[in-house]
Amino acid sequence: MEFVSPEGLRLDGRRPMEMRQIRAEIGVVAKADGSASFEMGNTKVIAAVYGPREVPNRSQQISDQALVRCEYSMANFSTGDRMRKPKGDRRSMEISLVIRQTMEACILTHLMPRSQIDIFVQVLQADGGTRSACINAATLALADAGIPMCDLITSCSAGYLNSTPLLDLNYVEDSAGGPDVTVGILSKSDKVTLLQMDSKLPMDIFENVMQLAIEGCKAVANYIREILLENTKQLEYRRGT
Amino acid sequence: MVGLSIGEKHFIQGGIAQDIRTDGRKRLTYRPISVETGVIPQANGSARVRMGATDVIASVKAELGKPTPLQPDKGKVAIYVDCSPVAAPMFERRGGEELATELSVALQKCLLGGKSGAGAGIDLSSLMVIEGKICWDLYIDCLVISSDGNLLDTLGAAIKAALSNTGVPKVHVAMGPSGDEQPEVDISDEEFLQFDTTGVPVIVTLTKIGRHYIVDATSEEESQMSSAVSISVNRHGHICGLTKRGGSGLDPSVILDMVSVAKHVSEQLINKLDSEIAAAEAYEVES
């Protein structure tokens, strides 16, 4: 099947190096300490952060740092075919673990000992790149909750089909069976905190694809910074300064 | 879950006794309701309803299935509620299951009628394709994104809005050569039948705090309730279902009074919902 036409257009009309349209909004769940929604094309996710708060289970608390927990869940209606068991399946548990480890790398946990930070991510619509959208949403939600972080983590995916590196795969391109590289970076320090790949890729092409994904992450980071600046201006305005 | 000091509790109860609630509303006033339809493009119909800070999404998916032998001339509807952990930390993993099951059962009672299918608010015979062989199965999936009290009313409103937005594809049937064979069905991609929702009821929950009842309680007010009665009323003022929650006993005359108050409130709610749904659909067509 052809994923890149001879003129260089993908199935949804994008160019190979073009990301899908991103949209983010802060403060979507009123009761959460911090929340955000993030859309990458047709993939829509909501992240909510509760914390820092007391650890309900005393035996789990860590004396010198905060405990970070994460849960990833997909809505019944998020995929094309209705899902029977939206929670607790292995894929959800794996992604929960991945998001937790990624966000833990940037949260300054030593500033909040004996407390707990809960990150919950809910996928409303899944069209490829849910992992990346979740990490981006979690970053915004953590910022909205005022949790101290050393940097903003952003994530993006890239693949390689019809001998072309493609940025930000959607569901159809992802299911094509080609390689799918997901990268998460610390945006200011340019360090990679998350790197996952499916399928196989020769080393030199892998470098290109990973570099493309990193470029995508930087573009997302710029957008996220704009959103946070805009949000801060709104807060300042409401305070009357 | 909701920690209130004694002073706050007295404030809530005293305010309700004087017809002024903490957010300034009267006892029988709803919070601002906003409706968005078509939020889930891959579903047959969907809606997102916000009542104050309570936020839910309902989606309707239609699949072809076989009718039950007991009711060969009716389609099937299944309602499923999921409480997202995004709404409250206690909903993580299986924490939200109990509440979700309670809400699913209450919604089924209010909207789907009895076991025989009689008296259903949703017209199941319109989901027929071939009697006894093929019918439409509607799967209504609800997701609670933010919970600030009055979940049942908001879910009922979201289901009503999602059903208004639902288009069931037209099916062309070609009979097989012999009468017993599975007939071939061709599901049209172009033509849709808008679902008829004039008979779908709304749910009004009356929460009793002290000696008075309020409508559309926030989660703080719900923590002070002695009991709550949820009544589903349709456009003609008929009661389609009734559920009582809470441990405190109620005098039968109080329940009858609550039912009449609910009928009165439901008229305004139905009008408000209808206008919001119409506005949302118009907005969706424009964009």
Side-chain angles (χ1 to χ4, degrees), chain A residues 49-108:
Chain A
V49 168
Y50 290 89
R53 57 195 194 114
E54 201 183 325
V55 186
N57 193 350
R58 273 292 176 82
S59 59
Q60 282 181 345
Q61 79 182 22
I62 310 174
S63 55
D64 60 345
Q65 62 180 29
L67 180 68
V68 178
R69 288 160 80 238
C70 178
E71 186 177 314
Y72 166 95
S73 32
M74 297 183 79
N76 252 346
F77 42 78
S78 58
T79 52
D81 298 318
R82 193 176 163 262
M83 289 178 71
R84 301 292 144 160
K85 191 169 177 272
K87 286 190 195 171
D89 62 313
R90 293 167 68 99
R91 181 177 170 271
S92 299
M93 294 185 68
E94 190 248 328
I95 299 186
S96 305
L97 185 71
V98 163
I99 299 178
R100 180 173 69 76
Q101 286 174 340
T102 316
M103 303 322 292
E104 226 175 352
C106 73
I107 298 177
L108 301 175

Side-chain angles (χ1 to χ4, degrees), chain B residues 98-163:
Chain B
E98 206 182 299
L99 177 62
T101 318
E102 190 191 318
L103 290 168
S104 305
V105 170
L107 286 168
Q108 278 169 346
K109 283 212 163 71
C110 289
L111 298 170
L112 293 178
K115 284 219 168 75
S116 67
I122 302 173
D123 181 19
L124 296 176
S125 6
S126 64
L127 296 173
M128 260 296 306
V129 178
I130 300 172
E131 184 159 334
K133 290 221 175 81
I134 302 181
C135 69
W136 282 110
D137 287 339
L138 284 188
Y139 293 100
I140 305 181
D141 292 311
C142 307
L143 181 70
V144 174
I145 297 182
S146 175
S147 160
D148 191 23
N150 206 23
L151 280 173
L152 202 51
D153 294 16
T154 319
L155 284 165
I159 292 180
K160 190 174 167 66
L163 284 172

Side-chain angles (χ1 to χ4, degrees), chain B residues 23-43:
Chain B
D23 51 7
R25 284 185 286 155
K26 293 200 166 297
R27 287 195 283 257
L28 299 180
T29 314
Y30 269 86
R31 285 172 286 186
I33 303 177
S34 85
V35 176
E36 259 177 81
T37 53
V39 290
I40 311 286
Q42 65 239 34

